[in-house]
Amino acid sequence: MERRVFGATGAAVPVIGQGTWQMENDDREGAIRALQAGLDLGLTHLDTAELYGRGRVEESIVAQVIAGRRDSVFLVSKVMPTHATYEGTLKACERSLQRLKTDRLDCYLLHWPGSHPLEHTVRAFEQLVQDGKIRSWGVSNFGVEELEEAVRIAGPGRIACNQVLYHLEERAIEHKVLPWCERANIAVVGYSPFGNGRFPRPDSAGGRVLASVARAHGVSPHQVALQFLVRRPCLFAIPKASQEAHARDNAAAAGLRLSREELARIDAAFPRGPDTGELPLL
Ligand code: NAP
């Protein structure tokens, strides 16, 4: 599994990881098996949040998946903006650690910008780093202005990543957020890489391009999409798969190499659209 340095943390993290949103609605045993198979195959960047199933995903799925193999996992969770006061962030982290049955997170994110002063959240994150409860921290759904404010508050080299919506039909981050993060050495983790299940249909123009590239390599269109989405060195992707076959398919995407010409065909088939200045959320 290809690994990349995760922003300024220096940690080598697999380019393709695993999401866990909405897994409380999936067959629990099947989801656990899929995540474990993913870990076996190197998809060790595991993304969760206190929000997911209101803690149920952390407690009843992820805790079991990482049990006995915590050291090989790059574990990420997120604090909800409504909890992100100084005290609230410390407490939310403690609750996540308890649910996950671990003593630390590898990265802790502010789920999206909220109304509590960011200074307070950042101070809590830095306290958690000092206390050894988190190894690094980052943000999610931050546009350039919010990133600028965050760096002003935290200083350079403190924000590990910005987790943002990124899939073939939603490429808005390529206008400003991605280049900005590249310059600031902040990892960009693309969430919902398959559009939260709304993957381009095989009979659409874009779907036909994906299928033709996939056929040439003997892989799936999903693998082609993933490899396109991590084509720049600061990019990571965290697909969610509750079926083991899907986890295996996603893991195999890391070995795929697309030519310049293939990347250009995919680029043309899924135009990024004009810069509206908005950062899309799911
Ligand atoms: P996604 O990864 O875009 O799509 C998941 C869907 O794709 C599921 O229906 C899954 O099926 C299917 N799938 C996965 N691998 C496949 C494959 N190889 N072939 C065919 N189908 C495949 O969905 P997402 O959950 O929205 O996004 C991924 C993760 O990003 C989340 O789980 C979460 O951790 C994170 N996220 C973060 C935020 C944020 O605000 N920070 C927001 C949204 C998501 P099965 O489940 O049936 O296997």
Side-chain angles (χ1 to χ4, degrees), residues 11-253:
V13 174
V15 287
I16 297 167
Q18 305 194 84
T20 62
W21 185 35
Q22 295 168 324
M23 270 198 172
E24 73 279 10
N25 301 324
D26 293 317
D27 169 63
R28 177 173 170 270
E29 297 305 322
I32 289 171
R33 264 198 312 281
L35 290 166
Q36 287 176 331
L39 290 187
D40 293 341
L41 294 166
L43 304 181
T44 53
H45 174 179
L46 208 47
D47 181 75
T48 192
E50 61 168 340
L51 176 72
Y52 299 172
R54 299 185 180 189
R56 286 209 335 268
V57 170
E58 287 182 328
E59 187 161 31
S60 73
I61 297 180
V62 180
Q64 182 160 337
V65 168
I66 64 172
R69 63 198 308 180
R70 173 68 188 89
D71 288 350
S72 65
V73 178
F74 188 83
L75 184 60
V76 179
S77 190
K78 315 185 193 79
V79 57
M80 273 166 52
T82 47
H83 292 159
T85 58
Y86 175 74
E87 284 295 336
T89 303
L90 300 183
K91 285 185 183 148
C93 181
E94 203 54 59
R95 287 194 299 268
S96 282
L97 292 175
Q98 276 174 19
R99 283 191 292 261
L100 291 161
K101 299 189 180 59
T102 185
D103 58 354
R104 84 254 176 221
L105 298 171
D106 293 284
C107 199
Y108 196 34
L109 313 184
L110 175 59
H111 210 143
W112 63 88
S115 56
H116 293 302
L118 191 59
E119 287 87 344
H120 299 187
T121 318
V122 168
R123 196 156 58 79
F125 282 159
E126 292 293 356
Q127 186 63 50
L128 289 165
V129 171
Q130 267 187 32
D131 295 345
K133 304 251 165 112
I134 65 174
R135 294 254 159 94
S136 64
W137 60 268
V139 295
S140 179
N141 299 303
F142 268 43
V144 166
E145 279 179 20
E146 290 143 344
L147 286 164
E148 282 170 346
E149 191 203 353
V151 172
R152 220 177 9 254
I153 292 167
R158 298 306 304 159
I159 304 168
C161 69
N162 185 21
Q163 191 182 113
V164 283
L165 180 63
Y166 189 41
H167 58 84
L168 290 174
E169 291 174 333
E170 185 43 87
R171 297 175 55 189
I173 62 159
E174 291 180 24
H175 290 291
K176 292 204 182 77
V177 170
L178 179 56
W180 195 95
C181 287
E182 266 172 348
R183 283 194 300 277
N185 193 22
I186 292 173
V188 176
V189 179
Y191 72 69
S192 302
F194 302 144
N196 190 238
R198 286 176 297 278
F199 195 72
R201 290 166 51 97
D203 58 356
S204 64
R208 279 193 288 275
V209 171
L210 288 181
S212 127
V213 174
R215 252 192 322 273
H217 289 271
V219 300
S220 71
H222 286 74
Q223 289 176 313
V224 173
L226 280 180
Q227 200 42 248
F228 180 83
L229 295 171
V230 297
R231 71 200 179 285
R232 283 158 74 157
C234 73
L235 283 167
F236 296 78
I238 46 168
K240 173 255 180 185
S242 60
Q243 297 180 53
E244 189 175 332
H246 288 162
R248 293 187 180 282
D249 196 56
N250 297 338

